[in-house]
Amino acid sequence: EVQLVESGGGLVQAGGSLRLSCAASGFTFDDYAIGWFRQAPGKEREGVSCISSSDGSTYYADSVKGRFTISSDNAKNTVYLQMNSLKPEDTAVYYCAAVKGDYMVDPHEYDYWGQGTQVTVSS
């Protein structure tokens, strides 16, 4: 059974940091890319950051460049999203998702999804 389990969300003040984790199981992790997406109330789901397991290539949305860092521990089948200098506009439910091959920015391309973790940044 394929599972993606996010953790690490919470409530933080503006300027603070959080580290999200995405633990994967049930598929060959090295064959997949992992993406982090977020969805705020009333807004569409948007790509935040992605990483390809094959070569470690990464993607960052312009809104998070320089503040967020994605990394992968292939031995643990886990992808992390380190979020620094958080802003109130980062408030959303954050999801991780998996797609076979290289990363995609379009969430519709992803095969598997986690249940999401809430990130709330207070001003």
Side-chain angles (χ1 to χ4, degrees):
E1 178 189 4
V2 172
Q3 278 195 317
L4 293 170
V5 180
E6 302 98 334
S7 61
L11 173 64
V12 65
Q13 289 188 330
S17 298
L18 285 172
R19 188 176 82 154
L20 305 183
S21 298
C22 173
S25 61
F27 60 92
T28 305
F29 188 77
D30 291 353
D31 292 342
Y32 282 73
I34 301 293
W36 283 99
F37 298 85
R38 65 186 181 187
Q39 188 164 22
K43 294 189 177 180
E44 290 189 356
R45 191 167 296 190
E46 63 171 347
V48 176
S49 184
C50 310
I51 187 166
S52 292
S53 297
S54 58
D55 61 3
S57 57
T58 58
Y59 160 83
Y60 294 95
D62 287 343
S63 57
V64 306
K65 279 181 184 175
R67 300 189 298 122
F68 291 11
T69 304
I70 192 169
S71 61
S72 179
D73 186 337
N74 287 21
K76 295 183 178 180
N77 287 4
T78 300
V79 171
Y80 304 97
L81 185 67
Q82 178 66 45
M83 306 186 296
N84 299 329
S85 303
L86 283 161
K87 304 175 181 180
E89 50 264 43
D90 294 318
T91 295
V93 177
Y94 283 70
Y95 300 89
C96 68
V99 61
K100 195 163 187 179
D102 295 328
Y103 71 74
M104 303 282 185
V105 180
D106 183 351
H108 297 96
E109 299 289 344
Y110 281 73
D111 303 310
Y112 308 115
W113 288 84
Q115 82 289 348
T117 186
Q118 177 70 48
V119 171
T120 303
V121 185
S122 62
S123 56

